Amino acid sequence: DRRGDYIADVCRHYGYRALRVPDATEGGNHLFQIRKAITADAPANIAIWGFRAERRHCNPFGIVHGGMLTTFADTMMGSLVFHAIAGAPCATITLTMDFVGAGREGDWIEGRAELLRQGRSICFLRSELRSNDKIILNASGVWAIIGSC
């Protein structure tokens, strides 16, 4: 479809390899040149994303900036909500981050988000980010389903 072709073109333009080009229902995000890992056997309430930490993602000491990790987790969890509610508008209303480790330039940062509960007007999620198989961030959040409140 046209959306899948567009996302594939964006992947090529920014020089990264899509693990699988999302279809129109899955959207796409190239803001951080995110490599989305979508596995056929993953439950619908799980999202797994990752990115290679580059210098632009880091502070002057080579540590991935907390703002980058926060934005990444927020985007990953928000995308999971968006797909769970069939593309209806949604917005983050609460977001809690616990920084428990550090990622460094060159590390593969992988996030796993889980939709814990979906109500009529809000959704509850949690996620964790890992670097070198160690948890660097735990996050939780609540998303409003716009128009249903």
Side-chain angles (χ1 to χ4, degrees), residues 73-145:
D74 181 38
T75 303
M76 177 177 57
M77 291 189 288
S79 177
L80 183 55
V81 171
F82 180 79
H83 296 101
I85 61 176
C90 59
T92 310
I93 56 175
T94 302
L95 191 60
T96 302
M97 300 288 158
D98 296 314
F99 298 93
V100 296
R104 291 179 168 67
E105 183 178 349
D107 286 355
W108 176 253
I109 308 295
E110 185 167 292
R112 182 181 189 277
E114 179 180 6
L115 177 61
L116 300 172
R117 184 161 188 216
Q118 178 181 340
R120 227 176 41 249
S121 60
I122 59 175
C123 295
F124 298 86
L125 291 92
R126 72 173 164 211
S127 68
E128 66 180 27
L129 303 186
R130 292 179 173 265
S131 174
N132 297 316
D133 292 322
K134 294 186 181 184
I135 295 175
I136 60 172
L137 180 137
N138 286 311
S140 61
V142 180
W143 270 254
I145 302 170

